[in-house]
């Protein structure tokens, strides 16, 4: 009898975990896209509407992709193993103000995605270069990862002035 209850409990736990996983994946309106979805530059979105700013340097666009800004890093607010870092909430709020609900233009560099399945892009709202704006206003630091170095010198100049 005890074995039967344990087996039923295990199945129930698997079912509940699966439901939470599915709903978590659907939270942004679509299943999160993976790097295998990113075949070549021509299939990547060039423009999109931002549905949500996750934090200071990551957004979700209407195609379901998560987009990580290239060349910058903001203090953590959503890291599963770290506390909210100093100035993280302010950076996140500023990013939300810049992009949420707005049409953005995405510009890619050498690498199109990271190991987490996020697109890597330079993001523009109209004439505002969002990655650069965050550095210029002191909300982000440069975080250049070769081979994605197209705007590294600009970011360095802006960081020195900030």
């Amino acid at each position: 009898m005890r074995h039967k209850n344990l087996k039923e409990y295990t199945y129930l736990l698997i079912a509940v975990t699966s439901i939470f996983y599915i709903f978590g994946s659907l939270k942004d309106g679509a299943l999160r896209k993976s790097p295998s979805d990113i075949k070549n530059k021509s299939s990547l979105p060039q423009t999109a509407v931002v549905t949500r700013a996750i934090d200071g340097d990551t957004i979700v666009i209407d195609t379901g992709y998560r987009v990580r800004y290239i060349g910058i890093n903001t203090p953590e607010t959503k890291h599963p193993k770290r506390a909210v870092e100093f100035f993280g909430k302010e950076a996140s709020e500023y990013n939300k103000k810049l992009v949420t609900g707005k049409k953005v233009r995405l510009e890619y560099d050498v690498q199109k995605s990271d190991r987490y399945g996020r697109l890597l892009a330079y993001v523009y709202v109209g004439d505002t270069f969002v990655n650069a704006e965050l550095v210029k206003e002191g909300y982000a630091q440069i975080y250049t990862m070769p081979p994605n170095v197209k705007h590294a010198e600009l970011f360095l100049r802006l960081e020195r002035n900030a």
Side-chain angles (χ1 to χ4, degrees):
M1 186 70 157
R2 188 175 178 168
H3 250 7
K4 184 178 178 188
N5 288 343
L6 181 60
K7 194 173 184 180
E8 288 174 0
Y9 176 75
T10 303
Y11 288 134
L12 180 63
L13 186 61
I14 291 169
V16 169
T17 304
S18 298
I19 290 168
F20 278 113
Y21 175 77
I22 291 167
F23 281 113
S25 297
L26 293 172
K27 187 165 101 176
D28 299 315
L31 286 170
R32 188 186 301 179
K33 309 270 182 157
S34 69
S36 63
D37 296 328
I38 304 168
K39 294 173 183 68
N40 60 48
K41 190 173 178 176
S42 65
S43 68
L44 299 176
Q46 302 301 307
T47 62
V49 174
V50 176
T51 58
R52 182 167 76 99
I54 294 173
D55 59 18
D57 53 31
T58 308
I59 58 175
V60 178
I61 57 175
D62 58 357
T63 59
Y65 283 111
R66 287 179 183 234
V67 179
R68 172 68 163 81
Y69 298 163
I70 298 174
I72 69 168
N73 191 44
T74 60
E76 295 295 339
T77 60
K78 306 280 184 179
H79 196 282
K81 296 180 182 176
R82 294 189 205 161
V84 173
E85 294 178 344
F86 179 72
F87 216 59
K89 287 182 181 179
E90 292 83 353
S92 183
E93 286 302 315
Y94 191 68
N95 187 38
K96 286 177 186 177
K97 186 175 105 178
L98 288 173
V99 300
T100 302
K102 297 183 180 165
K103 184 176 182 178
V104 295
R105 181 172 55 86
L106 303 172
E107 177 186 303
Y108 302 98
D109 209 330
V110 177
Q111 292 175 320
K112 309 305 182 243
S113 67
D114 65 10
R115 64 183 173 161
Y116 304 108
R118 300 175 296 191
L119 288 179
L120 298 174
Y122 302 106
V123 177
Y124 297 83
V125 175
D127 293 332
T128 302
F129 183 9
V130 176
N131 310 47
E133 181 71 14
L134 289 162
V135 174
K136 182 178 121 186
E137 295 301 321
Y139 292 101
Q141 295 178 314
I142 62 169
Y143 185 70
T144 303
M145 298 283 292
N148 298 326
V149 297
K150 186 186 291 185
H151 297 291
E153 288 181 24
L154 169 64
F155 295 152
L156 185 58
R157 248 188 348 268
L158 293 170
E159 184 177 77
R160 286 181 180 152
N161 291 334

